Every structure is written in C-alpha cells, then in structure tokens.
C-alpha cells in the first residue's frame, strides 16, 4: 500500500473515532435564552410561568408537563421535541403548531438557534 493511501485511511478512521460535536455555543445560548426567560424557566428548580418550563424539553412530548395549561393545538400536536422540531418551532412557532398560545414571532438566525439548543441541552 502506498504511504499516501495509508495516510488517507488512517485519517478517515481517526476521524470516525472522534465524537461528533454538537453545534452551538451553550454560553452564547444562555444569553439568547434571555428572550425566552420572561415566560420560560430551565434548570433544576424550573417551573411553569407564562410558558412551560423547558428542563429536559428535548425528547419530551409537546404539551405534556403537568404544571402548565397548554393550548388544545399544542396538546393535540403529536410533536415530540427533537432538536429538529424545536429548531422549526423556535424559527416559526405558528407554522409548526398553528393555534398555539406562544406569542413569539420566532428567531431567524440559525446560529442563534444552534446556541439556544446547545444551552437547552446543557441545562437539562
């Protein structure tokens, strides 16, 4: 085997062994969460306010926490909050769940959404 081929194979396998890094900056996401914090809480003592608490939201069924009164649209949406569904919802809440109660126009910046998701992952 040629040295360049061996080097290429080694580079590929070394790259495969590296863990994939999640996109986003949790520190910047904490700052981005300031837009959300007037209605939502996150962390060990989080509770619902004008919106549901968001601790552990990734993987949770939409409309399922017991301490918040969700809109019928959210309760019946059938959504499980993955990073993809959260990304779409954060970008345009009314398009993803028409008739939801959240009065927020969305965040248009993909980088800011990446950071916000990184913060939500880190916080809970």
């Amino acid at each position: 085997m040629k040295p360049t081929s061996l080097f290429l194979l080694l580079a590929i396998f070394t790259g495969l062994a590296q863990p994939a890094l999640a996109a986003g900056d949790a520190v910047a996401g904490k700052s981005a969460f300031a837009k959300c914090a007037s209605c939502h809480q996150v962390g060990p003592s989080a509770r619902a306010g004008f919106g549901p608490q968001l601790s552990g939201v990734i993987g949770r069924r939409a409309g399922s926490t017991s301490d918040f009164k969700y809109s019928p649209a959210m309760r019946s949406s059938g959504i499980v909050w993955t990073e993809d569904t959260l990304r779409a919802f954060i970008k345009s809440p009314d398009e993803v769940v028409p008739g939801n109660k959240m009065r927020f126009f969305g965040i248009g910046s993909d980088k800011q959404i990446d950071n916000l998701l990184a913060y939500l992952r880190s916080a809970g």
Side-chain angles (χ1 to χ4, degrees):
M1 184 176 277
K2 292 182 179 180
T4 54
S5 298
L6 184 60
F7 177 75
L8 182 59
L9 281 174
L10 184 60
I12 290 170
F13 286 115
T14 303
L16 292 175
Q18 298 292 323
L21 297 177
D25 176 347
V27 173
K30 185 174 184 178
S31 294
F33 190 76
K35 293 178 178 145
C36 313
S38 61
C39 297
H40 299 283
Q41 293 181 13
V42 67
S45 60
R47 44 176 69 152
F50 288 112
Q53 59 85 11
L54 298 178
S55 296
V57 68
I58 298 171
R60 186 167 74 202
R61 189 174 51 83
S64 66
T65 61
S66 62
D67 62 345
F68 184 74
K69 186 170 174 34
Y70 293 92
S71 66
M74 187 62 74
R75 282 195 317 271
S76 65
S77 69
I79 291 173
V80 173
W81 294 121
T82 64
E83 290 199 25
D84 289 338
T85 56
L86 278 168
R87 178 179 305 287
F89 187 74
I90 291 166
K91 192 170 264 203
S92 184
D94 289 331
E95 281 186 29
V96 175
V97 183
N100 77 81
K101 292 188 335 185
M102 190 162 89
R103 297 300 112 216
F104 180 69
F105 295 111
I107 297 174
S109 165
D110 289 331
K111 182 175 177 120
Q112 198 170 41
I113 294 171
D114 285 343
N115 293 341
L116 187 55
L117 290 172
Y119 174 66
L120 290 174
R121 280 192 308 272
S122 74

